[in-house]
Amino acid sequence: MMWNFIQTQIFGMKWLSILIGQFMSVLGLDIESRIGGSIHFFIYDVIKITILLCLLIFVISFIQSFFPPERSRKIMGRFHGIGANIVGALLGTVTPFCSCSSIPIFMGFTSAGLPLGVTFSFLISSPMVDMASLVLLMSIFGVRIAIVYVVMGLVIAVAGGTLIEKLHMEDQIADFIRNANRSFEMEAPSLTFKERMIYAKDQVSSTVKRVFPYILLGVGIGAVIHNWIPEEWIRIVLGGRNPFGVVLATILGIPMYADIFSIIPIAEALLSKGALLGTILSFMMAVTTLSLPSIIMLKKVIKAKLLATFIVICTIGIILVGYGFNIFQNILF
């Protein structure tokens, strides 16, 4: 009962949904109607996601202040083999918050001489399974699904990095990265508690400014799906009737550019309309990990063969995870 309260009232903020519904009723709006339901969905999800966004970014950024790139590089440099890939993937979970933000850090790690597989484990996990995604997924899908999602994302990151390491594709890194001068690396200065708090606050401000338009767009799309698109259409395309739903969702997700905060309301709406869980999660993984803008940025850093390998590994991993979730959906819910 205690965990159910935490999940529904703290993470899910059901009290907020009820409060907004009561306020709309006072104004004479019927939340059971399409228009009223869309407005209720939009207001509730925007407020809920924004609150969670601010709290999560503050906490994660405060933790991240202890792990500047140079310190992270030294930590990862102490490990070897698959252990190093695991550490790289885990460090990716404390770096915000989209694939394009992870690429500059990936470049720094690579130019610093870290093994290629380790840096790719970081690059895969950073946008896919950050700690914020765990809490947000808990608020929508529940704790079991959130934990399994994060674990499977880390598995993809570790397996992908390990495979890339075994392929010995170091020559596929852009020359300006491989030939970077490493003699000027310096340990970041220690920060006081006040400075870490200021850093976390600044990260909240800059991230909210950057992603809030995408939150509005994502919630708007979710409101349309939730209240205007017939459930039968979603079931035909992304439900159990379509054996290729996972593949379709993955392909549809790649051209998009969004982070976990803006894609959650779309996933929530799709789930309520009958889309299969694994299909939805594959869509989320594709959007956050393989977005077209991030691929374009990555093309400037790695050569075509390695880029294609990265895309293929992530795509296969995402599709396998999607079908796995679909098979065990009844157990997880």
Side-chain angles (χ1 to χ4, degrees):
M1 291 179 62
M2 176 60 71
W3 178 251
N4 184 62
F5 174 82
I6 293 173
Q7 181 176 312
T8 58
Q9 299 299 327
I10 297 179
F11 293 151
M13 297 186 193
K14 296 303 180 185
W15 57 269
L16 177 63
S17 177
I18 295 171
L19 185 64
I20 293 171
Q22 292 173 342
F23 178 73
M24 290 179 60
S25 296
V26 171
L27 297 178
L29 293 171
D30 180 11
I31 63 173
E32 298 299 326
S33 68
R34 282 187 172 180
I35 295 177
S38 297
I39 294 173
H40 179 268
F41 184 98
F42 185 84
I43 296 174
Y44 165 61
D45 265 42
V46 167
I47 295 175
K48 179 184 72 173
I49 292 173
T50 302
I51 292 173
L52 288 173
L53 173 70
C54 293
L55 291 175
L56 290 169
I57 291 178
F58 187 88
V59 173
I60 294 171
S61 297
F62 185 84
I63 296 172
Q64 189 191 17
S65 69
F66 291 92
F67 298 96
E70 175 60 18
R71 180 173 297 175
S72 300
R73 185 192 70 80
K74 288 185 176 180
I75 291 173
M76 289 192 287
R78 299 171 186 169
F79 296 86
H80 303 281
I82 194 170
N85 292 90
I86 293 172
V87 172
L90 290 174
L91 278 175
T93 65
V94 294
T95 55
F97 285 107
C98 67
S99 50
C100 289
S101 302
S102 306
I103 291 173
I105 303 176
F106 163 79
M107 293 169 59
F109 286 162
T110 305
S111 63
L114 286 175
L116 188 61
V118 176
T119 60
F120 267 94
S121 289
F122 167 85
L123 182 65
I124 295 170
S125 74
S126 181
M128 185 185 290
V129 293
D130 59 73
M131 288 191 294
S133 66
L134 177 62
V135 177
L136 284 173
L137 287 166
M138 283 181 182
S139 72
I140 302 299
F141 301 115
V143 63
R144 284 181 294 181
I145 292 172
I147 291 175
V148 174
Y149 172 89
V150 170
V151 169
M152 294 309 299
L154 289 172
V155 169
I156 293 175
V158 173
T162 302
L163 181 57
I164 288 174
E165 184 76 21
K166 297 296 183 182
L167 293 174
H168 301 292
M169 303 180 74
E170 287 77 9
D171 62 333
Q172 292 295 303
I173 298 294
D175 293 338
F176 77 94
I177 298 292
R178 286 194 295 156
N179 298 329
N181 191 335
R182 304 170 191 168
S183 61
F184 296 102
E185 295 175 355
M186 297 177 62
E187 178 69 57
S190 298
L191 300 177
T192 65
F193 178 81
K194 181 179 179 180
E195 289 171 334
R196 296 186 195 281
M197 295 290 284
I198 293 173
Y199 169 78
K201 179 178 68 68
D202 291 342
Q203 286 292 100
V204 171
S205 177
S206 62
T207 304
V208 169
K209 288 178 182 177
R210 176 168 55 85
V211 306
F212 192 70
Y214 296 102
I215 292 175
L216 295 178
L217 177 62
V219 175
I221 294 172
V224 171
I225 294 172
H226 192 273
N227 294 280
W228 295 89
I229 295 181
E231 183 174 322
E232 186 67 16
W233 293 7
I234 301 296
R235 288 186 179 275
I236 290 173
V237 178
L238 300 178
R241 302 180 192 179
N242 183 3
F244 301 104
V246 170
V247 177
L248 177 62
T250 303
I251 294 173
L252 289 175
I254 291 176
M256 300 180 64
Y257 174 65
D259 54 28
I260 192 70
F261 300 104
S262 50
I263 209 66
I264 278 285
I266 300 176
E268 180 183 11
L270 290 172
L271 185 67
S272 70
K273 288 291 186 178
L276 292 181
L277 175 63
T279 305
I280 296 170
L281 296 181
S282 290
F283 173 71
M284 291 172 57
M285 284 182 167
V287 171
T288 54
T289 308
L290 293 173
S291 67
L292 189 58
S294 69
I295 291 175
I296 293 173
M297 287 181 63
L298 203 54
K299 179 65 174 67
K300 305 294 184 181
V301 182
I302 61 178
K303 298 177 183 179
K305 183 179 178 181
L306 180 54
L307 179 63
T309 303
F310 167 75
I311 294 172
V312 169
I313 289 173
C314 289
T315 301
I316 293 175
I318 289 169
I319 290 173
L320 291 176
V321 167
Y323 280 115
F325 267 101
N326 283 347
I327 292 171
F328 297 105
Q329 176 168 344
N330 292 333
I331 298 175
L332 292 169
F333 263 125

